[in-house]
Amino acid sequence: MIRFYVSSLFLILIFCFPTFGQTDSLRFSFGKIEGPHPGTYILTGKVTSKDGAKPIEGVGVHVDGVFTGVSTDRFGTYYLTITPGDHRVAFRHISNVPVFTRILLYENAVVSVQMVEKAFELDGVVVLSDEPDRNVRNPITGVTKLTTTELRAIPAFLGEADIFKGLQLLPGVSSVGEGTSGINVRGAKADQNLLLMNEVLVLSSNHALGFLSGFNTDVTENFTLYKGNLPANFGGRAGSALNILMRPGSSESWQGQVGFGTSNGKVLIEGPVVKDKISVIFGGRVSNVNWLLGQARDLDIQNSRLNFHDGYLGLNWDLGKGHLLEANTLVTGDDFQFSDQFGYEWANRISSLRYKGILGENISITGLLADGNFDNAFFDPEGVDAAKVKNGMRYQQGKVSATWANDKLALTGGLEGVYYQGKPERISPFDEFSAIQEEQVGKERGMELAGFLSLEYELGENTGFVGGLRYSGYSQLGADTVYQYNPNGPISESNIIGETPFPSGKIKSYSGFEPRFSLRQNLNATLSVKASYARLFQYIQSVSNTFGPTPIDLWQLSTSYIPPQRSDNFSLGIFKNAKDNSWEYSIDAFYRTSVNQVEYRDFAQIFLNPHMETELVFGKGEAYGAEFLIKKNLGVATGWLAYTYSRSFFTSQSGFSEEQINKNERFPSNYDKPHEVNFILSRKMYPRGLFNFSVNYATGRPVSAVSASYILNGGLVVPDYSNRNQYRIPDYFRVDVSYTIEKVFSKKGDSLNFSIYNLFGRKNAYSVFWQKDEDSKQLRPYRLAILGSIFPSITYSIKWGGKQ
């Protein structure tokens, strides 16, 4: 997060040596020394900012000079058990002045403290995702945790700090290209990433052709990306997991923020419904880009439209004594049409109720119920065949987990279930002039259940271990019709020999164990080696007939002929911090192998298809590579240099030629991009400015190409395509800059942001397509660039309310 300090060296001295800038000790006394006492008492409380308006997460609690392993949660709450007696309890946080207390404890007690943010005359910059030595001490490899404040140090498209765009500048994370949604993590498909909001499943959340995510950073608190080794309480995907935490509203005073710019407008309102008990927060955004399309020279772009919106409503209720209840709803949606040629629209809604509480001296419990609804459609608005195709998914999720912990050991166990119900896929006339007849195809239902148990144990000062076991199962449920195919031939429509209706009950079931472990060994206080392994199952996947994922892709459940994916993930890394954790260095190698991975047959028909298995090819996936990172956390200038070497391949394994790709020879996947380099620089400019600069380079992704073409009698041109993904599009290169000024017109707090996306106007290719050259009547390649020009934006926002 970005804070201001005299210098990075002075900041480290203050954090490490409490004699500089510390507050006087606070004294508390609970109970009487006389009489018998049990072995331990409970000490709990809440840590907030000086005005009490904002809870502080990640405050380390030190008892008698020893870090207990306890830190405050997102609500600023801590909980620990200590022996009766006289104790010195210190509260330390990287961005706040330490607070020291002396507590005479002879009964259970509540001690809440307020911390003052460090402030000095000269400004510096801090970019820390968590504890200053987390890079070395965290036993799990491939974990990235960033706050929304850190995201704002990265120039972004449309002037918005964005989670997905920020992730793509980190090592091991990329995308197929501009104009696609989702991310690729360590050579995995986009649908192999588990996307969660407060541990609630999110199926899709992208705006503006994938340039923005549906998560407004004004209402998010932080996010954690697990790039291969997932905790046992996360599952359902074969690649990675991204958990986004939404922040609670202020419990002290009403406040808000209004912003508007060249691309969108937004509003934020938060405050207490009941002071110190119930708080609410609302954040919303709407697009404002159609006027920009109207300025384009291309007539098709002038006649296009792009609208998006999102809104988040969160309610947090402090029930007292360590019990919390939260309810939230996220609504997102897009409406896009390119001239009179094509368009799409989609809407997503996720609602959840979550409880978190402390039940005993060492036990906490978390439970949630959630409901999600995803609708999408694409349409062809012109001609006698003008039509709209709709589909979607409805799902319900339940999860409960309990944690028992002491100073050395933490055990977590629980159960989770998700019920999926695919919505019927329907084609209908686009308008009254269309000759299309309405048609509908039913979709599958399924239930995914899992139980999990994880253990985190400090074997010693230099050794940490995290182990877990997850058992997951899935059942396809009726009603549905299962087709039978000729066993002596490929699974194809021409080989259907019968069908069996299932009006209800289980149709097909799958299950398996998913072990995970990670081990950290410190070689010294600033250097560690980590190794990990995780097995993951995936029972639902997106189906697309495009190069990269889009918001209108189908979500396909496992069936009798579509088995779940299974991946085995390995990682080994070396992590080094230097100069009092102001610099980070790491090398993290990874290897993944997967079975039952899905690819598509040539010219696959995926929409309105009652037997999707006839369009799919199953095989083995393989990905490997290494991530290199140099990161500067403290100082006037911060940032990082990241290089990723990543390969991703697919091999079909069928004995029938119709179900083979490249004759079962290994070929690079659509998202195989061997080299990617990201450079990020964020520099504080005196007195209230922040300059951000980023450079992104990546190898062009693979494509299939027309290797030759033939002209038949009558002038018909017949293309001859290469093997799948035999060639590559040109390499990707982009430079972005932004400048933010704080407190421009208002002392209360306002900001003005200038940003330029694609500074050099490079026409980065999304794909290459072939069309007939009128002169030679041959097929010639043409580059397709989604955004092949400079895209500037200006955004102004102003805050109101709150305490000074």
Side-chain angles (χ1 to χ4, degrees), residues 224-476:
T224 304
L225 175 67
Y226 300 90
K227 294 185 291 187
N229 191 305
L230 279 62
N233 58 313
F234 291 160
R237 297 295 184 273
S240 67
L242 173 63
N243 187 31
I244 301 171
L245 288 182
M246 314 302 282
R247 72 177 182 88
S250 171
S251 60
E252 287 290 322
S253 61
W254 285 96
Q255 52 193 279
Q257 182 176 329
V258 177
F260 50 90
T262 54
S263 59
N264 65 75
K266 58 183 180 178
V267 63
L268 171 69
I269 301 174
E270 59 180 307
V273 178
V274 178
K275 191 172 182 179
D276 297 326
K277 284 291 183 182
I278 303 175
S279 66
V280 66
I281 183 171
F282 170 77
R285 296 185 298 181
V286 293
S287 63
N288 179 35
V289 297
N290 287 326
W291 72 274
L292 290 173
L293 301 181
Q295 307 303 312
R297 296 180 180 179
D298 190 289
L299 186 61
D300 285 334
I301 297 179
Q302 291 181 21
N303 295 327
S304 300
R305 72 171 189 266
L306 173 59
N307 302 308
F308 64 81
H309 69 273
D310 58 62
Y312 172 79
L313 179 65
L315 184 71
N316 291 269
W317 187 0
D318 187 348
L319 302 174
K321 297 183 179 180
H323 297 273
L324 303 167
L325 186 65
E326 63 181 36
N328 54 56
T329 295
L330 175 69
V331 177
T332 62
D334 271 34
D335 177 17
F336 170 73
Q337 181 173 334
F338 182 75
S339 188
D340 57 358
Q341 299 181 32
F342 68 91
Y344 69 76
E345 57 190 29
W346 67 270
N348 199 19
R349 191 265 305 154
I350 307 104
S351 301
S352 67
L353 183 67
R354 190 180 187 209
Y355 163 80
K356 184 176 182 181
I358 299 172
L359 301 185
E361 292 188 359
N362 303 87
I363 301 175
S364 63
I365 188 170
T366 301
L368 71 84
L369 294 172
D371 179 79
N373 187 71
F374 178 61
D375 291 296
N376 60 35
F378 69 92
F379 51 87
D380 180 355
E382 190 68 17
V384 69
D385 294 330
K388 175 180 284 190
V389 177
K390 296 181 178 180
N391 54 63
M393 178 73 71
R394 184 76 182 268
Y395 59 94
Q396 288 78 41
Q397 178 184 5
K399 186 174 183 178
V400 60
S401 63
T403 299
W404 180 92
N406 61 19
D407 294 351
K408 294 289 186 180
L409 176 67
L411 291 171
T412 300
L415 300 171
E416 182 177 15
V418 184
Y419 172 70
Y420 302 98
Q421 185 170 6
K423 295 186 176 183
E425 193 173 8
R426 181 181 296 109
I427 185 172
S428 58
F430 184 79
D431 53 35
E432 64 273 17
F433 304 106
S434 174
I436 292 293
Q437 298 296 314
E438 189 164 324
E439 184 182 351
Q440 177 175 303
V441 173
K443 304 302 290 184
E444 297 83 9
R445 296 189 303 133
M447 174 68 79
E448 182 180 348
L449 297 172
F452 54 87
L453 178 66
S454 65
L455 175 149
E456 184 171 351
Y457 184 60
E458 289 291 327
L459 300 174
E461 179 65 24
N462 296 320
T463 306
F465 174 79
V466 176
L469 182 64
R470 183 182 180 94
Y471 182 81
S472 63
Y474 167 85
S475 296
Q476 181 193 359

Side-chain angles (χ1 to χ4, degrees), residues 130-168:
D130 212 304
E131 295 86 356
D133 60 349
R134 180 184 177 89
N135 182 56
V136 174
R137 299 292 301 179
N138 188 356
I140 302 179
T141 64
V143 178
T144 299
K145 183 176 181 180
L146 293 177
T147 67
T148 54
T149 303
E150 293 165 342
L151 283 179
R152 294 188 179 99
I154 301 173
F157 182 64
L158 302 179
E160 281 286 307
D162 186 73
I163 291 176
F164 281 7
K165 286 302 178 187
L167 283 171
Q168 291 171 24

Side-chain angles (χ1 to χ4, degrees), residues 62-67 88-90 92:
H62 302 249
V63 179
D64 299 327
V66 179
F67 180 56
R88 183 176 181 271
V89 181
R92 288 191 175 93

